């Protein structure tokens, strides 16, 4: 998933009425994203996030 506010890519951890919780693909803290600011990541975005 991509947080469109920041461009950060994360793995979906939890869904709720108001949003989702993502965890980064590399070590780091989870963060909340409103539903309107979350979308599926492309394979290219996932590869780039893992390369960082």
């Amino acid at each position: 998933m991509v947080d469109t506010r920041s461009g950060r890519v994360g793995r979906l951890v939890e869904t709720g009425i108001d949003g989702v919780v993502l965890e980064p693909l590399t070590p780091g803290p989870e963060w909340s994203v409103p539903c309107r600011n979350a979308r599926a990541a492309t394979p290219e975005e996932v590869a780039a996030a893992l390369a960082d």
Side-chain angles (χ1 to χ4, degrees):
M1 301 285 298
V2 176
D3 179 345
T4 61
R5 301 172 300 176
S6 64
R8 290 177 67 192
V9 177
R11 184 177 298 109
L12 181 64
V13 175
E14 184 178 324
T15 60
I17 294 171
D18 296 327
V20 298
V21 176
L22 302 180
E23 66 179 11
L25 301 181
T26 57
E30 296 176 349
W31 75 100
S32 297
V33 183
C35 290
R36 68 179 175 274
N37 295 110
R39 65 167 175 81
T42 66
E44 294 80 11
E45 289 170 321
V46 172
L50 291 171
D52 286 344

